[in-house]
């Protein structure tokens, strides 16, 4: 869900919390590793509890904004290459890959055929 979604839910309970408090709290929860955020593009971020789905990659559709979780295992060789080649230790638990989801690809291909 987005920070605005959370703010709306909190607002149903109390009007004493403003949106900046929600953002600060989400930042703190991220620092503690309890929440992960995914950029859906154009500055739109969604937040998810860590551990609910287990570690995974985030596949972010740049057309519809849908975020899909994918297994981490295929990214292992990429992480190993980056460490060997550049000495860079990759945090795969925060890896988001932009692209097109199946539905948006099919829609685009159908439009191209028409």
């Amino acid at each position: 869900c987005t920070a605005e979604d959370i703010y709306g839910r909190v607002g149903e309970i109390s009007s004493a919390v403003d949106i900046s408090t929600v953002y600060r709290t989400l930042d703190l929860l991220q620092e503690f590793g309890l929440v992960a955020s995914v950029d859906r593009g154009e500055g739109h971020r969604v937040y998810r509890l860590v551990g609910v789905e287990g570690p995974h990659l985030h596949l972010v559709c740049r057309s519809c904004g849908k975020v899909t979780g994918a297994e981490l295992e295929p990214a292992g060789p990429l992480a190993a290459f980056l460490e060997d080649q550049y000495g860079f230790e990759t945090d795969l638990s925060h890896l988001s890959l932009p692209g097109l989801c199946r539905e948006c690809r099919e829609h685009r291909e159908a439009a191209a055929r028409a």
Side-chain angles (χ1 to χ4, degrees), residues 72-93:
L72 280 177
E73 188 177 335
L78 173 61
F81 171 80
L82 294 173
E83 187 166 357
D84 290 344
Q85 192 73 14
Y86 301 101
F88 187 80
E89 186 176 305
T90 307
D91 180 2
L92 295 178
S93 66

Side-chain angles (χ1 to χ4, degrees), residues 3 7 24 32 42 46 51 58-60 72 74-76 80 83 94 109 112-113:
Y7 176 66
R24 284 192 307 271
F32 290 141
E42 299 182 17
V46 293
H58 297 109
L59 308 177
V60 183
L72 280 177
E83 187 166 357
H94 292 95
E109 290 167 4
R113 285 191 300 269

Side-chain angles (χ1 to χ4, degrees), residues 5 11 15 23 40 44 46 48 68-69 80 95 100 104 106 109 111:
D5 294 336
S15 61
Y23 278 108
R40 294 174 65 178
H44 300 286
V46 293
R48 296 183 181 194
T68 304
L95 182 59
L100 289 175
C104 289
E106 289 172 354
E109 290 167 4

Side-chain angles (χ1 to χ4, degrees), residues 61 63-65 100-109:
C61 181
S63 180
C64 70
L100 289 175
C101 68
R102 176 177 292 132
E103 292 81 12
C104 289
R105 276 187 36 236
E106 289 172 354
H107 185 264
R108 181 187 65 184
E109 290 167 4

